Amino acid sequence: MKEKVSVGIDIGDSQVVTVIGHRAEGETHPNVVGVGIHKGSGMRRGVVTDMEEAISAITASVEEAERMAGLPVEMAYISITGEHILSSNNKGLIAISRGRDEITHEDVTRVIETARAVTVPANREMLHVIPRMFIVDGQEGIRDPVGMSGARLEVDAHVITGSSPFIKNLRRTMEQAGVSIASFVLAPLGASKAVITKRQKELGVVLIDIGAGTTGIVVFEDGDIYHSAVLPIGSDHITGDIAIGLRTSLEIAERIKVEYGMASPITLSEQDTIDLSKIDKNETEAVSRRYVAEIIDARLNELFLMIKAELRKVGRDGMLPAGAVLVGGGSKLMGIIDSAKENLGLPAQLGFPIELTGMMDKLDDPRFATAVGLMLWGMDEDEDKTIFPSVDFTSIVSKIKDLFAR
């Protein structure tokens, strides 16, 4: 029996994460059978800056996942992000053929293609055309028009594009790493697949993916995508601020952020200090933990103000009942949820991958939401793209047990 297998590769600025999942016929939830995590990526702000390093990182991550799963990765769903990503909403319109008034799947495909026909500059490439709703003879809010009667069919679609040179570089990097690309998926959109529930999408929710170099957001309402954007601030900017403020190296600043950083200085006193000699023996100074928190707070305020501006742009500032869901490495900062609630005026929570079986102990972390979401994205795509040759998963499970027994 063939198993449906899907692979997601999240290429972030700080690490590459590969997730291999499979789902047997009749099963509801995918089973994670392979995970590969490699520090470093040759990327900066979502763009390839060192192709050789990127190829090496991707190869290492994929090989680790392959060893764990016991099968080769040939095709994968790849994350994409960066300031070059732009989005807009576009409409498509077709007339239903005379002699019949019933809308078919072919009509739906045709109308989506008309939305795709939006003029894209020569230096940009289309990544997603996602139907938000269909309109039949002026009647809005239709999710699936197939089988309905009408003479005119419209679609309101969310269109996401990226810069062609950056996409070509990432495509070339994947090819040289030996992985075929099933599809590029906007990173926060992929993450939403793993952590956002159907109920949250219905009520209205914003997913915030805080990466190292950028922050991606996706807004959902009435079950459909409403808005998306990539902002030019990430957790590395916080590290840089700490390094400048304390006149120390980026490596030390990163450890201070991870081990001692807080999103708000309110609960800290001037007497709370950080002994830098415990981080680096060459350092002798003790610095105020409250001062570090003030540095972090200032940068987070800037980030959340930018997110508020994006929500205000689409009329959803303070208007999302399901609030904000935070994922990505930057979401691990202590106190960031309270900061999000205060700055955005919305409920907020961390996003953890849901409805999975298998090696979830390795992936039960907001940092891995995108990689898991990419794998899930593949589960819902064209069957031919995600089925590998017949695989004996009983032997794979036994290999995994042997691996952990060593």
Side-chain angles (χ1 to χ4, degrees):
M1 182 181 71
K2 287 185 177 180
E3 302 282 351
K4 184 167 185 179
V5 177
S6 177
V7 182
I9 304 178
D10 177 26
I11 309 170
D13 282 5
S14 61
Q15 64 181 8
V16 179
V17 182
T18 301
V19 174
I20 303 174
H22 87 92
R23 184 170 58 204
E25 195 172 334
E27 287 184 351
T28 306
H29 304 310
N31 184 35
V32 176
V33 295
V35 179
I37 303 166
H38 183 82
K39 295 290 183 185
S41 67
M43 306 280 286
R44 182 171 173 78
R45 298 188 183 182
V47 173
V48 177
T49 54
D50 186 329
M51 189 172 286
E52 190 173 325
E53 183 185 346
I55 293 167
S56 175
I58 292 163
T59 302
S61 174
V62 168
E63 286 180 350
E64 183 183 347
E66 286 176 329
R67 284 194 299 272
M68 196 174 291
L71 73 160
V73 169
E74 296 171 359
M75 183 173 287
Y77 291 79
I78 314 299
S79 68
I80 189 165
T81 188
E83 297 170 57
H84 65 97
I85 301 293
L86 298 175
S87 69
S88 61
N89 296 321
N90 191 49
K91 288 191 174 182
L93 167 67
I94 63 166
I96 306 302
S97 302
R98 288 185 179 181
R100 64 175 177 84
D101 64 355
E102 185 175 307
I103 297 168
T104 65
H105 288 288
E106 289 73 22
D107 293 325
V108 171
T109 301
R110 276 200 303 134
V111 77
I112 292 173
E113 284 301 316
T114 63
R116 185 187 289 272
V118 60
T119 303
V120 177
N123 64 339
R124 299 197 65 78
E125 190 171 319
M126 204 167 284
L127 295 169
H128 298 285
V129 179
I130 306 168
R132 301 188 331 148
M133 70 170 173
F134 293 93
I135 305 162
V136 178
D137 291 346
Q139 176 62 51
E140 298 186 351
I142 295 170
R143 294 282 179 82
D144 184 2
V146 175
M148 298 180 71
S149 295
R152 189 179 70 174
L153 176 64
E154 296 175 75
V155 65
D156 182 356
H158 189 67
V159 178
I160 300 172
T161 65
S163 170
S164 296
F166 298 146
I167 295 172
K168 285 177 182 176
N169 285 336
L170 186 53
R171 185 177 286 120
R172 191 173 294 118
T173 300
M174 294 306 305
E175 288 170 357
Q176 292 191 29
V179 179
S180 296
I181 302 166
S183 179
F184 285 121
V185 180
L186 182 65
L189 193 58
S192 71
K193 197 88 171 170
V195 303
I196 303 291
T197 65
K198 185 178 179 181
R199 176 66 173 160
Q200 287 173 317
K201 288 182 180 180
E202 289 285 347
L203 290 171
V205 65
V206 56
L207 178 128
I208 303 171
D209 179 11
I210 306 175
T214 59
T215 294
I217 69 167
V218 179
V219 182
F220 293 92
E221 190 172 72
D222 295 331
D224 298 311
I225 187 168
Y226 198 82
H227 181 63
S228 64
V230 178
L231 307 175
I233 292 181
S235 59
D236 277 356
H237 292 81
I238 296 173
T239 303
D241 292 345
I242 294 171
I244 292 169
L246 300 183
R247 296 185 295 280
T248 188
S249 70
L250 286 171
E251 290 75 17
I252 293 174
E254 178 68 16
R255 284 196 59 184
I256 291 171
K257 180 186 75 176
V258 172
E259 296 175 23
Y260 301 98
M262 287 192 68
S264 171
I266 294 174
T267 59
L268 299 170
S269 72
E270 292 294 347
Q271 283 68 47
D272 285 322
T273 59
I274 304 166
D275 184 357
L276 296 186
S277 65
K278 292 182 179 179
I279 297 175
D280 188 318
K281 62 183 180 181
N282 296 318
E283 297 282 343
T284 57
E285 193 179 352
V287 298
S288 166
R289 194 177 177 191
R290 183 183 177 90
Y291 177 54
V292 172
E294 287 171 351
I295 293 172
I296 295 171
D297 184 49
R299 182 62 83 169
L300 283 180
N301 287 345
E302 181 187 7
L303 172 60
F304 288 128
L305 278 173
M306 292 176 75
I307 294 171
K308 273 182 75 72
E310 286 293 328
L311 296 178
R312 193 177 304 117
K313 191 189 298 182
V314 293
R316 290 299 173 269
D317 182 15
M319 302 288 286
L320 299 169
V325 177
L326 277 63
V327 297
S331 69
K332 303 274 288 180
L333 196 60
M334 195 182 302
I336 196 170
I337 295 302
D338 290 334
S339 178
K341 289 177 181 178
E342 182 180 344
N343 282 285
L344 297 177
L346 292 170
Q349 66 185 70
L350 285 177
F352 292 87
I354 54 178
E355 297 184 344
L356 290 174
T357 60
M359 302 175 185
M360 279 315 296
D361 57 320
K362 284 181 167 287
L363 298 172
D364 192 25
D365 190 303
R367 290 181 300 154
F368 305 131
T370 298
V372 173
L374 293 168
M375 182 272 292
L376 293 173
W377 190 281
M379 286 288 174
D380 294 335
E381 283 279 286
D382 184 359
E383 295 280 332
D384 292 336
K385 289 184 178 180
T386 51
I387 292 184
F388 282 72
S390 183
V391 177
D392 179 6
F393 278 96
T394 306
S395 67
I396 290 174
V397 171
S398 109
K399 286 179 185 177
I400 292 166
K401 287 179 179 176
D402 290 343
L403 187 67
F404 284 107
R406 289 173 190 168

